[in-house]
Amino acid sequence: MIVNISGRTDIPAWYTTWLINRFKEKFVYVRNPYNEHQISCYKLLPELVDCILFCSKNPAPLLPYIDKLNDFHIYFHVTITPYGADAEPKVPEYTFAAQSLKSLSKIIGRKNVVWRYDPIFIFKQYDVDFHIRHFAEIAEILCDSVDICVISFLDKYEKVKRNFPLAMPPNSKEITALAKQFSKIASHYNIRLQTCAEMADLSEFGIFRTPCLTPQILSRITGKNTICSGSAKNLRENCGCLAWRDIGAYDTCPHGCRYCYANNNLAAAVQNYRQHDPASPILCSKITDEDKITLSPQQTFLSSQLSLF
């Protein structure tokens, strides 16, 4: 099983103590976001967890505790974008995040760290020139710490339309300009550029649509052959990633990003964060008599045979 920490909230940034407690106690409860009284229990054991996929805008709080996860294979996506407080109110300044990624890369290895520059949107001062200038700056900082950068463009989900109505995804002309310059910059710094679940075909610029976690990537991370495939369900259209289990919860991230796909309501997210119990087996909610807890089956993707690659 692949554990995702997390597409629903930024656990490393805000819930590190809770997370380390879960691995110490070797299990976690996860509430079904579509059935509030259905709770799955996952065992957090090295023989049952093939890989931990981290997604964060701020890995710094987790860095002192990475050694607690030494028995597990780790793959870390760190999103670093240069937006200000008008778009990302509680996200650390991008140069701080970049230095945190560099520290993380030294600990777990650059092959296990991916830089994400997403979502890309156009709004006020955040025009094409802004993105090109800051992408180059961040690439220069990170070039000795990452091999891959993933980009994607803003999706105007209903919650995004409501919370950030004036931000727009780049139009076709802007996408072409960004892709052309980003490709040149990434090549200069020896960073492979790829897109994530994007409809736009940017292959003429050497930018290819690549799932974030493929059987090949899992084999490289673990050193074992991947024997099972299958795309994750309920992800964005065109996503071809291996299936994972997300242990986060929606409406729990206090970063307050106005384009957030996971928060419907920032006030609710802040309130949930304030009420969370680091010792609880479940994130930001309480177990009730109405809840049904089920031990979820955990299928490995890996063979016991070592990979030749």
Side-chain angles (χ1 to χ4, degrees):
M1 183 185 81
I2 298 167
V3 175
N4 187 339
I5 305 176
S6 154
R8 299 172 182 168
T9 190
D10 196 331
I11 289 177
W14 299 99
Y15 300 100
T16 283
T17 301
W18 175 83
L19 178 67
I20 297 303
N21 284 339
R22 290 301 87 232
F23 278 95
K24 181 179 179 180
E25 297 187 17
K26 301 179 181 180
F27 76 97
V28 63
Y29 289 166
V30 182
R31 191 177 297 280
N32 187 331
Y34 308 106
N35 184 343
E36 63 176 322
H37 294 303
Q38 183 181 76
I39 295 176
S40 296
C41 175
Y42 299 115
K43 298 293 185 180
L44 300 178
L45 301 170
E47 61 268 27
L48 295 178
V49 175
D50 298 328
C51 176
I52 304 172
L53 173 63
F54 282 97
C55 302
S56 180
K57 287 179 176 291
N58 179 20
L62 184 62
L63 295 181
Y65 304 98
I66 285 287
D67 63 325
K68 305 293 184 183
L69 305 175
N70 281 346
D71 292 336
F72 297 86
H73 300 287
I74 295 174
Y75 195 49
F76 222 116
H77 282 236
V78 182
T79 299
I80 303 175
T81 46
Y83 302 121
D86 57 337
E88 300 176 339
K90 298 295 183 181
V91 175
E93 204 268 340
Y94 68 96
T95 55
F96 173 86
Q99 293 303 320
S100 296
L101 186 154
K102 289 172 71 68
S103 297
L104 176 66
S105 179
K106 289 179 181 178
I107 297 170
I108 67 173
R110 63 186 292 160
K111 298 291 185 182
N112 294 331
V113 181
V114 173
W115 165 35
R116 300 186 69 95
Y117 189 97
D118 75 305
I120 299 171
F121 57 80
I122 305 298
F123 173 70
K124 294 184 177 180
Q125 74 271 30
Y126 308 131
D127 57 12
V128 169
D129 289 341
F130 171 92
H131 285 292
I132 293 170
R133 184 170 68 254
H134 284 85
F135 182 84
E137 179 185 356
I138 299 170
E140 182 177 14
I141 296 172
L142 297 181
C143 63
D144 62 349
S145 301
V146 300
D147 293 325
I148 298 171
C149 176
V150 176
I151 63 172
S152 69
F153 306 106
L154 181 71
D155 287 316
K156 291 287 281 189
Y157 297 117
E158 288 303 318
K159 66 184 72 174
V160 179
K161 293 177 183 177
R162 181 174 63 252
N163 296 327
F164 205 10
L166 297 182
M168 298 299 297
N171 59 37
S172 59
K173 182 178 180 180
E174 291 165 334
I175 288 175
T176 297
L178 289 166
K180 184 176 181 180
Q181 294 304 316
F182 277 23
S183 179
K184 289 181 180 179
I185 294 165
S187 178
H188 175 75
Y189 289 110
N190 199 29
I191 296 173
R192 185 167 78 251
L193 199 58
Q194 60 192 52
T195 60
C196 174
E198 288 295 329
M199 290 293 293
D201 181 3
L202 304 180
S203 58
E204 66 176 296
F205 306 106
I207 305 171
F208 297 94
R209 187 184 304 124
T210 308
C212 300
L213 189 53
T214 63
Q216 292 76 19
I217 293 173
L218 184 61
S219 291
R220 177 176 57 76
I221 295 168
T222 62
K224 295 182 179 180
N225 287 322
T226 302
I227 57 174
C228 181
S229 61
S231 297
K233 298 179 180 179
N234 301 320
L235 294 179
R236 290 195 296 169
E237 187 179 359
N238 299 314
C239 180
C241 288
L242 289 170
W244 56 55
R245 298 293 179 266
D246 197 314
I247 69 168
Y250 295 117
D251 283 319
T252 60
C253 184
H255 276 321
C257 300
R258 295 179 64 191
Y259 54 77
C260 182
Y261 304 154
N263 277 353
N264 278 302
N265 184 288
L266 176 58
V270 172
Q271 182 69 7
N272 287 331
Y273 168 72
R274 289 173 177 169
Q275 293 180 345
H276 96 278
D277 178 3
S280 172
I282 195 167
L283 184 68
C284 292
S285 67
K286 298 183 183 299
I287 308 298
T288 70
D289 292 338
E290 298 177 83
D291 292 331
K292 180 180 180 181
I293 302 173
T294 304
L295 182 62
S296 182
Q298 296 176 226
Q299 177 187 11
T300 182
F301 287 95
L302 301 174
S303 165
S304 59
Q305 182 179 1
L306 295 179
S307 172
L308 296 177
F309 302 97

